[in-house]
Each structure stands twice: as C-alpha cells, then as structure tokens.
Amino acid sequence: MTELETFFGSDGALSKVIPGYHPRAAQVEMAEAIARAVDENRNLIAEAGTGTGKTFAYLVPAILSGRKVIISTGTKNLQDQLFNKDLPVIREAIKQPFTAALLKGRGNYLCTYRLKNAFASTLGFSKEDAAALAKIRSWAQRTKIGDVSEMSEVAEADPVWYQATSSLENCLGQDCPDYAECFLVKARKKAQESEILVVNHHLLCADWSIRDSGFGELLPDADVVIIDEAHQLADTASNFLGINVGAKQLNDLAGDALVEYFKDATDIPALRTACEDLEHEVKDLRMAFGIELKRGEWRDIEANPKIAAGLTAVKEQLQRLTDQLELASVKTKGLESCFKRADELLQQLKIIIDDDSGKWIRWYEIHRKTFTLSRTPLDIAAEFRSFMQHHQAVWIFTSATLSVAQKFDHFSNNLGLGDAVSASWGSPFDYANQSLFYHPKGLPQPNDPEFIPIIMNFALPVLQASKGRAFFLFTSHRALKQAETLLKDKLDYPLLVQGSRPKGRLLEQFKAAGNAVLLGTSSFWEGVDVRGEALSCVIIDKLPFSSPGDPVLKARLSAMERQGRNPFFEHQLPAAVIALRQGIGRLIRDVTDRGVLMVCDPRLLKRTYGQVFLDSVPPMKRTRDIEDVRAFFQQETEQ
C-alpha cells in the first residue's frame, strides 16, 4: 500500500478525524496523480466530479511533498473554508508539521491610516456611515489580523469600508506613518514564510498583472501552484490583464484629494475646484449614457456625440486635476499619492480612448449610478503561458467541470496548456438511483416571446410534486423577474428571489425553510452547496449560452472567424456546456441526496449540438412524463 492509500484508507489517519468517514477510490487515484505530477514536474489538468473529495485529494499530496505550495480558490468564501475548515482537519490527521497562511487582496484588510483620516475629515458623513465607522474603529482596537470578514456588524459590501481600507492607488506604502503596524504587510510577511499559502484567483491574477507592470510580486515563488475551481480562471485573468477606468475610481480620487486639500493645501483653491469639477463631469457622462444598464461596444461611444463629448470633458478635467495635484504634491505624502493616482488614471484613460491596434477589445458597462470603461485582451493564452514560465512551478488545475464530452480542449486552449497531462474522475454518487432528468414534450422555442409564461405551466406541476425545495435557475435577470411575477401568487411555498437580500442570507433562509423555491441567475449556478432534502429539484430555463451581444464575446468570436475557426463549436458551445454542468451540480451534493433535474430548452433534442450537452450530463434516468416525476417524489414519502 502506498502512503496515500494508507492515509485515505478505511483505517487511515483521515478516518480517525472525520466521523463517518468512507474511503473513495477516485479520491485516492486523484491524490496519487497529483503526487506523480509533483514528483515528475509535470502540469496536470484534474477533473473530479462532485463528491470526489478533491480538496483533500490535492491538499494531502501537496503537504506531504514538503514543497512550497500556493493554492488558489475561485472565491474568498471558498478560500476561508479551505483555510479555516479543511486545513485544520488535515493538520490533525497528518504527522508531518507544516505552516500555512491565508492571503487576500489589500482591500480585505483594515487600513488604520485611512480610518484615522476619515475621523479627521471635515467633509462629514451621513448618520449611518458615522455609526458604521464607529463600529469599525471599535473593532480596529481588538483585531489581530485586520481581515474585514471578521467584522460582522458592518457588511463587507458596505461602501463605508472604502474609508477604512486601502487600494493600490491610495496606499502610501513605506511612507505611511502606520506602516510598522500594517495588517496587509504582516499578512504578506506571513505568506512569504509559510509552506502552504491559500489565495484566490483575483489575488493571483493581480500579482500577475502587477509584475508585468514592474511593481514587484505580491506572492512568493512556489514549487507547486494548485488552481481550484479552475474553470473560472480564464475570465478572471482576462479582467486583470486589461485596463479599467470607472466612475468610482475617478470619484474616489476626487474625494481623497479633497480630504488632503482641507488638511494641507487650502492655499491652492484651484485644487478644490478641480476635484469638484471632475465629480461634476463624471456625473454628466453617466447621465449621457442613459438609463439602460448594459455592456456595449466602444463604437457606441464614438457614434454618440453627447457621450463622446462627455468623455472628452472627463479626460480634460482629469488632466486639470492632475496638474493641480502635481503642484501640491510637494507638500505631503498624501498629496503626492493622489498625484500619482491621478497621473496613472489619466494615462490609462488615454490608452483606452486612443487604442486602435486591434489586439484589444474596448467596451463600456453602465451600472445604476456609475460606469466602467475597459480594454480587454482578445486572447490570454500566450500571456498565461508566459506567466507560468515565470513561475517555474508544477501547475495543477482542478474543478468538477473542465471537460466537454470528455475532452479538455476548450479549457486547455483558453490558457495555452498544450503540454499538460489531463485526467478525469467521475462522481461517486449513484445518479441512476438518486436522480431523475425530466425534459417535457411541447416546450416552446427560447426565442418565443411567451417562453417564460409557457414554461411556468410545465414547471408548476414539478414544483408541486417536489413540495417546493427547488432552485429555479435563469440565464437572465429579465427572465427571473418575469418568473417572479408569474409565480408569486401561484405557489404554496416560500418564494426567495436573488437580489432581494444578500446571497448568504438567502441561502440561510432557503435551508431553514425546508420547502422554499429560490429564483437565481449566474451566481447561484455554481459555488452553492445545499445538502439534504431542502434542495430536491433544480429547474433550468435555457441552455446557458452567453449573450452574443456581449462586446467582449462578440470581439473574440469575430477574431476566431478571421482565423478561419468555428467560434460556435470552439467557444460558445463548450462554455455553455460547462455552465450547464455547474448548474446541474447544485442538485446532488451528498450520497443520501435525491432530486429531479428539469431543463426547459427544447434545443436539447431539436438541435444536433444538443447531444453534446446530453453527453455531459451525469448518468441520470431520463423521462418526458410528469407522472414519472410525481412517482419519484412519491417514493421519497414512502421510504
């Protein structure tokens, strides 16, 4: 027996620390494949179905290797779970001692200097913000690590945290008077010294983008880099390799510069005017974009004289503020920092406006009160290969959804992983007996204007048979809102709707209710784990193809066409299959779970490409008869 077989065995170390532990052959096989990849210095793409236990399958060989390991997760929540729950279990089971650290982006750590600045500000705060800042100051006197996730009294999404955290733009670095006590500096120091470092994709990609611009490295060099939830990496990387200038950045700059003006530069009244005028021009540009919330192509801006003029006015006003800050920058480090931020934002804005090289995608996004202007790379494969070569490490990519019809081409091509070995382990769950795939006859085409009202007639009998206990997943917010209107008076069960309250609160309510129906879009398709009877049905409205009107996708598809490739089969279809697999993955989360999957899109059987989706669905029993659904749930009550 190998060391790993013994560790994961029925009488092994893991069994002694996990109540009710059962060995899983796929988990041991995956762990051994990772151990081999590390020993042989080979990159590995490792797909592991739901229930395989992939977290322990990569943690154990990584720790036993004795090498420096960076583990990157898809979200901060998963990062916290891995560090605070999974690693302590392994530490208890494993004989080999190891050091571990958790590192997040700088915006997740308290900045005592900026908090003091906020209380010294003469600009004032609303009653609510002042109360929140008082709570933060009280917590600041108690915290040992300064991670804002500790502070439950003020929501992480509350904008007031801007006053108590730093960004790359406004951090004073070693010039900060509080540098010796900086929580971020302490976290980075611990990260450098630890053998196992847990980060997230955003931080990993931020390190990549900062290194390329010459600002140094956030993350220590590692021997092994493990990317969990690897299917999310390409999108995250694409965002970080680009340039984004938004209304919030510009307004934050103007606000911070005003604080510094009132502290140390009241003898330069033109500085105050420049700050206020920039805020005014940013507001005018947002109004010029109109009320529709959307993502659009750059040519929309060039074709609209009002928006184009507003953008020019913002650039000119940012130039004026930069000039005033340059004059004031000799006074204090705070003013010097504001000048550097303004100058960098100005250069980025000019790059976005002036770029016509064809190597980048320029686009904009309109939010309720703000906007973002972006320049994104057409293709990140070459850049990612370069990043991997810089980190001369073994790279392990893992997720439950990396393949399409048992092939990894889509994933590996996106990241330029031509030399990686790939392997896949199916889920240990008994889908044939635990689940049922229902695809009714007579479904309308997705482009039918009455699509949502008609599919409600098909979905309601399923929700009645399941007695609620369902996720109803949509490919658009518009469809979700339409469904909410249609369902709210027809259900005998609690109806929970994404956006009505924070995601975590909604999930708590869903689990507590035990019979709720939750309507969700993209953020509920993945990274959500509801075990037990509370979630016994997943309904999906359409095959999750990305909107062809999205400016980034549109540009990438056009580029593929110019190269003589087939963008639908090479990109759109594989991406949709992976998204569907993620949605389906919400249904069965444990060996005792049972549930019904319903997909309301007739293209599954009416289009030839539907077979690719069907080949990627777990081996469930399939039916087109609602009576089979009722019988499935009836079995549950009889057991």
Side-chain angles (χ1 to χ4, degrees):
M1 256 188 156
T2 66
E3 183 179 17
L4 288 170
E5 284 176 320
T6 303
F7 185 89
F8 285 104
S10 55
D11 296 320
L14 212 52
S15 70
K16 293 177 173 57
V17 296
I18 299 177
Y21 174 80
H22 294 288
R24 283 166 276 191
Q27 187 178 45
V28 179
E29 289 172 16
M30 179 178 172
E32 291 186 325
I34 289 171
R36 279 196 303 274
V38 172
D39 287 343
E40 297 169 5
N41 286 316
R42 299 187 69 177
N43 299 328
L44 173 68
I45 300 170
E47 182 179 66
T50 308
T52 305
K54 64 182 170 65
T55 305
F56 285 0
Y58 65 66
L59 277 177
V60 174
I63 293 165
L64 290 176
S65 74
R67 304 202 193 184
K68 177 90 177 185
V69 181
I70 292 177
I71 300 165
S72 181
T73 66
T75 65
K76 286 187 291 185
N77 286 341
L78 288 172
Q79 188 183 1
D80 285 333
Q81 180 180 313
L82 195 151
F83 187 78
N84 296 318
K85 293 182 179 178
D86 298 329
L87 270 174
V89 171
I90 299 295
R91 191 183 294 283
E92 192 180 347
I94 212 163
K95 292 178 181 177
Q96 184 170 315
F98 63 92
T99 55
L102 180 74
L103 184 62
K104 299 179 181 178
R106 69 167 65 242
N108 295 280
Y109 295 95
L110 173 71
C111 174
T112 54
Y113 172 76
R114 284 184 58 79
L115 183 61
K116 290 174 191 172
N117 247 12
F119 277 97
S121 170
T122 58
L123 296 178
F125 296 98
S126 68
K127 187 178 177 181
E128 293 78 12
D129 284 355
L133 282 168
K135 290 175 183 175
I136 292 171
R137 181 162 65 175
S138 174
W139 165 71
Q141 292 162 358
R142 306 188 304 271
T143 183
K144 296 289 191 290
I145 59 173
D147 186 334
V148 302
S149 67
E150 286 183 341
M151 179 52 180
S152 57
E153 292 176 75
V154 179
E156 281 189 61
D158 194 321
V160 78
W161 277 111
Y162 177 75
Q163 307 296 334
T165 56
S166 72
S167 64
L168 182 64
E169 294 86 4
N170 61 34
C171 176
L172 298 180
Q174 294 186 21
D175 294 324
C176 178
D178 290 5
Y179 184 79
E181 300 303 317
C182 177
F183 290 112
L184 176 64
V185 170
K186 288 178 181 176
R188 287 186 178 170
K189 186 172 186 295
K190 190 174 180 184
Q192 296 283 348
E193 295 167 350
S194 295
E195 294 159 294
I196 307 294
L197 174 60
V198 182
V199 301
N200 58 61
H201 297 351
H202 281 83
L203 183 58
L204 185 80
C205 294
D207 183 46
W208 172 12
S209 60
I210 289 169
R211 178 185 300 109
D212 285 350
S213 60
F215 284 102
E217 296 180 17
L218 300 177
L219 305 176
D221 283 326
D223 302 310
V224 181
V225 180
I226 299 172
I227 308 292
D228 200 349
E229 300 300 319
H231 65 280
Q232 299 175 1
L233 184 63
D235 284 343
T236 305
S238 181
N239 290 335
F240 274 90
L241 279 177
I243 295 173
N244 303 290
V245 174
K248 185 179 185 306
Q249 289 166 282
L250 296 166
N251 285 330
D252 287 348
L253 168 66
D256 288 347
L258 270 176
V259 169
E260 299 297 337
Y261 162 80
F262 282 114
K263 273 173 55 184
D264 299 302
T266 51
D267 57 331
I268 310 177
L271 174 55
R272 176 179 179 175
T273 306
C275 292
E276 292 168 346
D277 287 351
L278 178 59
E279 290 175 328
H280 177 76
E281 296 294 358
V282 168
K283 187 176 181 181
D284 281 355
L285 178 54
R286 172 61 191 89
M287 291 175 67
F289 275 112
I291 60 172
E292 186 183 358
L293 307 184
K294 64 172 186 174
R295 292 169 66 147
E297 297 178 75
W298 194 261
R299 63 184 180 190
D300 295 348
I301 294 175
E302 295 173 331
N304 188 314
K306 190 175 180 182
I307 299 175
L311 181 56
T312 300
V314 166
K315 184 180 78 168
E316 290 174 350
Q317 192 54 52
L318 179 57
Q319 178 71 67
R320 284 195 283 274
L321 175 56
T322 305
D323 293 342
Q324 291 301 319
L325 282 168
E326 185 173 17
L327 293 173
S329 63
V330 294
K331 289 178 174 287
T332 65
K333 289 294 180 185
L335 285 161
E336 182 185 355
S337 173
C338 284
F339 162 62
K340 289 177 180 176
R341 280 170 67 189
D343 189 51
E344 185 174 353
L345 272 174
L346 180 62
Q347 299 313 315
Q348 289 177 335
L349 185 58
K350 286 178 177 177
I351 287 170
I352 294 172
I353 292 172
D354 298 337
D355 182 81
D356 59 358
S357 64
K359 296 178 181 178
W360 302 84
I361 306 158
R362 292 186 297 160
W363 54 285
Y364 67 89
E365 185 165 13
I366 306 305
H367 315 285
R368 198 161 60 85
K369 293 183 179 179
T370 62
F371 59 83
T372 309
L373 309 172
S374 301
R375 189 186 79 153
T376 302
L378 264 173
D379 180 15
I380 68 160
E383 284 83 355
F384 193 77
R385 273 199 304 274
S386 171
F387 179 50
M388 288 175 65
Q389 285 162 4
H390 181 93
H391 268 308
Q392 283 296 318
V394 174
W395 287 72
I396 310 290
F397 302 89
T398 185
S399 168
T401 55
L402 295 176
S403 69
V404 176
Q406 288 79 54
K407 294 182 179 178
F408 293 90
D409 298 2
H410 175 69
F411 175 76
S412 60
N413 290 343
N414 276 348
L415 293 174
L417 307 178
D419 61 342
V421 177
S422 60
S424 183
W425 294 271
S427 170
F429 298 149
D430 184 3
Y431 281 98
N433 290 308
Q434 288 178 253
S435 60
L436 179 68
F437 182 2
Y438 175 49
H439 182 60
K441 297 176 182 177
L443 289 165
Q445 289 299 318
N447 59 0
D448 187 321
E450 294 298 304
F451 179 78
I452 294 297
I454 295 172
I455 68 168
M456 288 304 126
N457 296 327
F458 288 94
L460 274 168
V462 176
L463 294 173
Q464 287 156 359
S466 68
K467 297 176 182 173
R469 304 185 299 160
F471 273 11
F472 203 149
L473 302 177
F474 296 87
T475 52
S476 73
H477 285 278
R478 185 178 174 185
L480 180 148
K481 297 311 260 183
Q482 198 178 356
E484 179 188 7
T485 303
L486 293 164
L487 285 175
K488 62 184 177 184
D489 298 323
K490 294 181 180 177
L491 280 179
D492 298 325
Y493 311 105
L495 184 65
L496 306 176
V497 183
Q498 179 181 331
S500 61
R501 53 186 63 83
K503 180 180 176 181
R505 193 86 48 82
L506 271 180
L507 281 172
E508 287 169 15
Q509 277 188 273
F510 181 85
K511 292 174 184 178
N515 66 343
V517 175
L518 187 148
L519 309 185
T521 57
S522 54
S523 65
F524 280 90
W525 284 65
E526 60 179 285
V528 176
D529 190 6
V530 181
R531 301 182 185 210
E533 293 181 359
L535 179 55
S536 298
C537 179
V538 170
I539 303 175
I540 292 172
D541 71 334
K542 295 180 184 179
L543 298 177
F545 287 104
S546 298
S547 168
D550 179 85
V552 178
L553 178 62
K554 200 171 178 181
R556 287 187 174 144
L557 299 183
S558 296
M560 292 175 80
E561 281 182 348
R562 288 195 298 273
Q563 295 165 8
R565 296 159 65 189
N566 187 318
F568 178 78
F569 283 101
E570 287 188 45
H571 186 87
Q572 289 169 285
L573 180 60
V577 169
I578 286 171
L580 182 70
R581 291 182 66 201
Q582 281 291 329
I584 294 171
R586 298 317 98 213
L587 183 62
I588 305 296
R589 306 297 300 175
D590 208 342
V591 289
T592 57
D593 283 359
R594 296 178 81 253
V596 167
L597 167 71
M598 177 182 181
V599 179
C600 304
D601 194 328
R603 291 176 294 184
L604 266 180
L605 298 177
K606 297 286 178 68
R607 299 291 179 90
T608 53
Y609 61 72
Q611 192 60 44
V612 181
F613 287 98
L614 292 172
D615 289 344
S616 300
V617 170
M620 302 172 164
K621 287 179 183 173
R622 298 178 186 178
T623 184
R624 309 201 73 189
D625 188 343
I626 186 63
E627 291 307 320
D628 290 335
V629 175
R630 292 189 178 112
F632 180 90
F633 285 116
Q634 187 62 34
Q635 288 171 14
E636 183 179 61
T637 59
E638 292 169 356
Q639 287 177 353

